[in-house]
Amino acid sequence: MKPIKLIPFTLALFTATATVHAAADALLTEGSVVGTVSGKSIQLSDIENRKINELRIQLHDALQEAFIQHAVTQLTTDSTDYPAAAPAAISEEQIETFYLNNKLQSRGPLEQLAPMIREYMEGMAKAQHDIQIYQRAAIKGDITSRLVKPKEMLLKLAVDSAFMRGNDQAGVMVMEFSDYQCPFCKRAQSTVKELIGQYGERVAFGYRHFPLAFHKEADDAAIAVECARDQGSFEAMHEVLFNQPDNLFRPELKAIAQRINIKDLERFNSCLDNDTYAGRVANDMAAGQSAGITGTPGFIIGYHDPDKGTVEGELLSGAQPANVFVAAIEKYLQGR
């Protein structure tokens, strides 16, 4: 049987109170010179992309965790001021509670998993003890770290022709890329509505198109909603399209326009037949791809500059629970 992967516990997450001394030779920073070309210095920031940034962060976290573990081991060996952790006494009741709380029934019976759970809980207890030692030693100056965590690389994207909801002048934005025939996009709509209700006065919400190639009617649906937007009916068309994703051929799109009482049906039909907004949809697709979106729904959540018409933030993929969006939004509302 494969080992259970339980809740990860990373010591590096608990080092915020440690004394950190920046040093260029500990890890490369954005301003580090990585080489020269024709006598001109090339900084890391000149060549860094999102993948390199993610790898740098992963490297930092691995180094920091290894350093913490090494430092605590050395302190507990060399100094009586820092006693090693005594083996934790884990009761059968604690193991059963852990088993039930983490819903491990599908992974096997309690009797089978109990030894692994015990080992994990003992490791957790030791890790918590080590954290306390590390933090106390850092405050006293017995431990210093020269490791500097890289800044998270933010994606920058033009708001462009996105349909806007919420406060379009807000300093934080949630930019959505979706497909009208994507079931996960449909699922995400209730979360987006909830977020608009909660943050509508403080956050801008943008919508752009990302029709996937294997959704044959999604392109026409995206064009149709833009044609409806011309007449102030984006929201009404948008709502219907997500609620009936299985029939979005052009005759049905025209019938939907009639059902939502669009002002000028002839104008709408002409707009759709002439693919008037095909270029806008294609531009949305290109923008999403440049931001790293490969599937739907995809969201860019970050800082919004209404004067420059840009959003700069992080990519959130999939129909995530509302609390995941809330955490990201709050981070940018508080200025990170």
Side-chain angles (χ1 to χ4, degrees):
M1 177 180 176
K2 294 182 179 179
I4 300 173
K5 185 177 181 182
L6 299 175
I7 305 167
F9 189 84
T10 304
L11 287 171
L13 298 177
F14 293 85
T15 62
T17 61
T19 303
V20 177
H21 298 279
D25 59 348
L27 280 180
L28 291 174
T29 65
E30 289 76 12
S32 296
V33 175
V34 297
T36 61
V37 177
S38 300
K40 180 181 178 182
S41 295
I42 305 300
Q43 295 183 334
L44 177 60
S45 59
D46 296 324
I47 63 171
E48 185 171 27
N49 56 29
R50 185 170 180 81
K51 183 61 178 178
I52 293 172
N53 180 254
E54 290 174 353
L55 290 171
R56 289 177 61 222
I57 292 173
Q58 289 172 19
L59 175 60
H60 167 273
D61 291 348
L63 285 171
Q64 184 75 346
E65 183 167 349
F67 171 72
I68 293 169
Q69 292 174 345
H70 178 85
V72 170
T73 298
Q74 186 169 320
L75 280 174
T76 55
T77 300
D78 297 345
S79 174
T80 56
D81 291 340
Y82 302 103
I90 307 299
S91 69
E92 298 297 328
E93 183 179 355
Q94 287 174 304
I95 292 173
E96 183 177 0
T97 299
F98 187 94
Y99 176 82
L100 295 173
N101 288 347
N102 287 277
K103 298 179 173 60
L104 298 176
Q105 294 90 329
S106 62
R107 304 299 300 274
L110 174 60
E111 295 75 14
Q112 182 181 8
L113 301 182
M116 285 180 279
I117 295 174
R118 181 183 298 279
E119 182 181 356
Y120 178 77
M121 294 184 74
E122 288 173 348
M124 285 279 287
K126 183 181 183 304
Q128 289 171 340
H129 176 270
D130 289 351
I131 289 164
Q132 294 171 357
I133 287 181
Y134 183 87
Q135 292 178 334
R136 183 156 58 89
I139 292 170
K140 291 177 64 177
D142 290 336
I143 290 179
T144 60
S145 171
R146 299 177 69 188
L147 297 171
V148 181
K149 187 162 188 172
K151 295 178 181 178
E152 182 182 348
M153 190 174 186
L154 299 182
L155 299 166
K156 191 170 185 178
L157 186 72
V159 173
D160 207 355
S161 58
F163 180 76
M164 300 297 293
R165 290 176 284 184
N167 179 2
D168 63 5
Q169 296 300 303
V172 172
M173 173 176 280
V174 176
M175 175 67 78
E176 175 183 0
F177 285 84
S178 273
D179 172 324
Y180 286 110
Q181 291 192 300
C182 164
F184 301 104
C185 298
K186 178 181 179 180
R187 186 185 306 170
Q189 296 314 299
S190 59
T191 301
V192 171
K193 286 182 181 179
E194 180 182 336
L195 294 170
I196 292 173
Q198 183 175 353
Y199 291 104
E201 296 181 1
R202 295 187 290 161
V203 174
F205 290 84
Y207 183 93
R208 298 184 73 173
H209 303 287
F210 203 86
L212 301 173
F214 52 86
H215 288 155
K216 301 302 182 183
E217 301 140 53
D219 285 273
D220 283 351
I223 294 169
V225 81
E226 291 299 325
C227 291
R229 178 179 176 179
D230 265 353
Q231 302 189 48
S233 295
F234 180 99
E235 293 273 23
M237 178 69 78
H238 179 82
E239 183 83 14
V240 174
L241 295 183
F242 270 124
N243 284 325
Q244 63 164 74
D246 296 331
N247 181 9
L248 298 180
F249 292 104
R250 292 199 173 192
E252 179 59 22
L253 292 170
K254 292 176 181 179
I256 292 171
Q258 186 172 18
R259 288 205 305 272
I260 65 173
N261 296 317
I262 205 158
K263 296 175 184 176
D264 189 333
L265 187 59
E266 184 177 344
R267 177 182 163 193
F268 173 88
N269 292 343
S270 176
C271 176
L272 182 59
D273 288 337
N274 291 320
D275 293 325
T276 301
Y277 289 107
R280 179 179 291 179
V281 174
N283 185 54
D284 283 356
M285 282 285 294
Q289 289 168 344
S290 72
I293 293 173
T294 57
T296 54
F299 299 85
I300 308 295
I301 302 177
Y303 298 117
H304 175 219
D305 187 332
D307 295 327
K308 294 181 180 178
T310 58
V311 55
E312 188 172 12
E314 62 194 73
L315 174 62
L316 184 63
S317 299
Q320 302 281 351
N323 66 300
V324 175
F325 287 91
V326 168
I329 291 170
E330 288 291 341
K331 178 169 68 175
Y332 290 99
L333 285 174
Q334 295 166 20
R336 297 186 72 204

